Amino acid sequence: MEGPIRLERVVAPKTFAIRTFGCQMNEHDSERLAGLMVADGLIPVASGEEPDVVIFNTCTIRENADLKLYSALGQLKAQKENHPEMQIAVGGCMAQKDRGEILERAGWVDVVFGTHNLNSAPALLRRARSEGPLVEILDAPDPEASRDMAPALYAVRELEFAAWMTIQTGCDNTCAYCIVPAVRGAEISRPLADLVREAEMLAKAGVSEITVLGQNVNSYGRDITKRGPLFAELLRELGAISGIERIRFTSPHPKDLRPETIEAMAEIDAVCPQLHLPLQSGSNRVLRAMRRGYSAERYMERLAAARDAISDLAVTTDIIVGFPGESDVEFNESLEVIASAEFDSAYTFIFSPRSGTRAAEMVEDFVDDDVVKERFERLKQVLDRSALAKHRQRVGQREEVLVEGPSRRNDQMLSGRTRQGKLVHFASPTEPLRAGSLAMVDITYAAPYHLLGELSSVVRPPRHKLRIPLLSS
Ligand code: 5AD
Ligand code: SF4
């Protein structure tokens, strides 16, 4: 019997969703994990539908991250009772820290994996279907797995033209408040040649912006060669890759910000004039208690050196309010330093005791919640004022903007980022610019968290190819 061949999908592919908590490194790990799940035959769940597999990529830097995870797991319990085939996996920093405890507190979880074995999550999920709940945590990264390019190749990125690249994991510092060294382990740098290969691959795929990630990027390479850190060398190598037009990085530690890094930033065209330099506090006594390894004066010197060398440098920072023992006088000193640093923006955090850290033991010095809240508000005012002042200086300038797509609030507008990393909204032309286009925009208005502008000219269309979706969602 002859006739047209009929292709039918016998079994619908399983769907997955990943919920990410925490920092950019976690966001990037989730993109890689999503790529591995797709390579394993699953598809991202359509919005509004219930996924077959839910993965939590967790954070543990502050206490509320833990609370959020357990509340999200609690909500899923009932869903899983109605949908017994559903699998739940918990990975990332909190999983690395709490290990089997997660199964004790949430017995409906199927898989727990840590920060070092993200690549095995799809296989663990498959095994758990027949073997029951599995916990697999490694104490250090497997060098072979960390050299595997597949997760970067398959990564499901939010923006096709901008990619993150993790250059190092772990941290060798001992900041008194920070749980990261206990959870992510000692600093381990990925080989330089692997990073260059990954960046070349990304460039070929049409990526024009790379954000380099590490806990302490300045010390990149310290553990792989006696020559000392290789960060400036890495920037030079990445800057030489054709197609990579913008390079950003986060975070350098102020104590390790070396002149050669500043020089490299100033000299390499592709490196954006943007520096995230976490100050944490402007009081020298508090900085000592935090074990940060620099004084406010040293920080300001390094900042001035960077600003002198790199024209139109945007500077952002992290500040912790209410570190144990922080007095009113010390907080005021800190505010003065923060105001004089004229930051473009800042991430502000209320101190959160993490068990196992030195600061968590300083219980008798904990600062009252009311005092902390009041300080936090004052800090925000100082930071908003400096952000607005910085943005106002940009009004009247013509800036290069990498278009990210329609503005979230108004689809008649396009949004994008300047080389300084600033968010700009501008009216879309009649033939809208596709995401990934590069345009020149005249800045017309400044707010603390964004700029408005008018399109002046289009520099180039997107470099990446348009992907034709295979499955409608
Ligand atoms: N409490 C509050 N903020 C913290 N951070 C790190 N650990 C803590 C903590 N225990 C902040 C620091 C760091 C940023 C990523 O998170 O400012 O730079
Ligand atoms: Fe934590 Fe300090 Fe390392 Fe940053 S440098 S990850 S704050 S220990």
Side-chain angles (χ1 to χ4, degrees), residues 61 170-181 187 214-216 251 253-256 278 280 290-292 318 320:
I61 199 138
C171 179
D172 285 348
N173 292 316
T174 52
C175 299
Y177 50 81
C178 187
I179 189 85
V180 168
E187 250 168 59
Q215 303 296 346
N216 190 10
S251 297
H253 193 300
K255 79 177 164 52
D256 299 322
Q280 313 297 3
M290 286 180 166
R291 302 176 145 236
R292 288 291 288 171
D318 290 346
I320 298 178

Side-chain angles (χ1 to χ4, degrees), residues 275-308:
L275 185 63
H276 183 68
L277 201 59
L279 171 65
Q280 313 297 3
S281 167
S283 147
N284 285 339
R285 199 213 47 90
V286 174
L287 284 170
R288 262 195 311 278
M290 286 180 166
R291 302 176 145 236
R292 288 291 288 171
Y294 54 83
S295 61
E297 292 74 21
R298 173 68 75 82
Y299 179 97
M300 293 304 283
E301 272 165 35
R302 299 242 157 124
L303 183 56
R307 282 192 167 132
D308 280 349

Side-chain angles (χ1 to χ4, degrees), residues 122-167:
L124 288 171
L125 280 158
R126 259 188 282 117
R127 270 178 49 203
R129 288 212 180 267
S130 52
E131 294 174 29
L134 288 173
V135 179
E136 191 179 284
I137 307 282
L138 306 183
D139 286 323
D142 165 4
E144 276 315 302
S146 75
R147 299 199 61 182
D148 184 3
M149 293 285 150
L153 250 182
Y154 297 138
V156 178
R157 289 189 302 273
E158 189 186 335
L159 301 172
E160 291 190 43
F161 51 86
W164 282 307
M165 188 167 85
T166 299
I167 63 168

Side-chain angles (χ1 to χ4, degrees), residues 9-120:
R9 181 174 278 142
V10 183
V11 186
K14 287 196 187 304
T15 59
F16 72 94
I18 303 182
R19 282 195 59 190
T20 310
F21 299 88
C23 63
Q24 288 168 319
M25 200 175 280
N26 265 17
E27 294 280 351
H28 178 46
D29 281 348
S30 293
E31 291 180 345
R32 292 155 63 97
L33 183 54
L36 294 173
M37 296 297 286
V38 171
D40 212 44
L42 285 88
I43 56 171
V45 71
S47 80
E49 284 185 19
E50 199 172 76
D52 299 307
V53 177
V54 184
I55 306 175
F56 290 95
N57 189 4
T58 62
C59 170
T60 190
I61 199 138
R62 283 169 292 275
E63 195 182 7
N64 62 358
D66 287 20
L67 300 177
K68 271 198 232 156
L69 172 76
Y70 282 109
S71 112
L73 284 176
Q75 283 166 15
L76 270 187
K77 188 178 183 201
Q79 268 187 50
K80 191 164 171 176
E81 276 161 11
N82 295 329
H83 182 163
E85 284 289 289
M86 178 189 256
Q87 283 191 300
I88 302 172
V90 180
C93 290
M94 218 194 94
Q96 185 79 27
K97 178 172 70 81
D98 286 358
R99 301 178 178 223
E101 197 186 314
I102 294 179
L103 282 186
E104 281 161 32
R105 286 180 67 177
W108 55 100
V109 166
D110 298 277
V111 168
V112 178
F113 61 96
T115 52
H116 302 306
N117 58 341
L118 172 117
N119 297 10
S120 15

